């Protein structure tokens, strides 16, 4: 009887402590995830703003449709390289 009570008390204590520790670490990890999401969002926003600024410069026109098609087909490296070479050629000529 005493052994059964001891096992039950030990299991209950373990359950309570595990829940407390899990809740505490979840808050810590959740804070890190939120910070990383905020940093990623702000970096993406700055990148899009930079791309929009570059799109308005006539000498720096990038063929968005070619890059999109290349990404969709999964052959982004070769077509992106070609697009970049065309971009550099245009930039040098202007």
């Amino acid at each position: 009887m005493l052994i059964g009570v001891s096992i039950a008390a030990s299991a209950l204590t373990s359950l309570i402590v595990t829940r407390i520790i899990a809740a505490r670490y979840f808050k810590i990890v959740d804070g890190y995830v939120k910070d990383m999401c905020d940093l990623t969002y702000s970096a993406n926003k700055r990148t899009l703003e930079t791309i929009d600024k570059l799109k308005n410069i006539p000498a720096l026109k990038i063929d968005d449709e070619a890059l999109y098609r290349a990404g969709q087909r999964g052959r982004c490296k070769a077509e992106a390289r070609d697009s970049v070479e065309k971009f550099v050629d245009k930039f040098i000529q202007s």
Side-chain angles (χ1 to χ4, degrees):
M1 173 76 177
L2 191 57
I3 294 174
V5 171
S6 176
I7 291 173
S10 175
L12 182 63
T13 303
S14 176
L15 180 69
I16 292 170
V17 169
T18 301
R19 288 191 181 240
I20 291 171
I21 291 173
R24 182 174 180 167
Y25 282 111
F26 179 77
K27 287 179 185 176
I28 292 170
V29 170
D30 191 44
Y32 288 140
V33 169
K34 184 179 182 307
D35 290 343
M36 291 306 297
C37 288
D38 291 342
L39 286 172
T40 302
Y41 176 77
S42 64
N44 288 345
K45 186 177 177 182
R46 285 192 310 262
T47 302
L48 289 174
E49 288 171 356
T50 303
I51 289 171
D52 287 340
K53 287 178 186 175
L54 290 175
K55 282 183 179 179
N56 293 329
I57 300 172
L60 300 179
K61 290 294 180 188
I62 298 172
D63 189 2
D64 292 336
E65 185 63 29
L67 288 175
Y68 174 76
R69 286 190 315 264
Q72 291 299 313
R73 286 192 295 256
R75 294 182 288 170
C76 193
K77 289 181 184 177
E79 290 190 24
R81 184 184 66 238
D82 293 341
S83 181
V84 169
E85 288 173 358
K86 289 178 187 175
F87 164 74
V88 169
D89 289 341
K90 273 190 199 177
F91 184 72
I92 291 173
Q93 291 172 359
S94 61

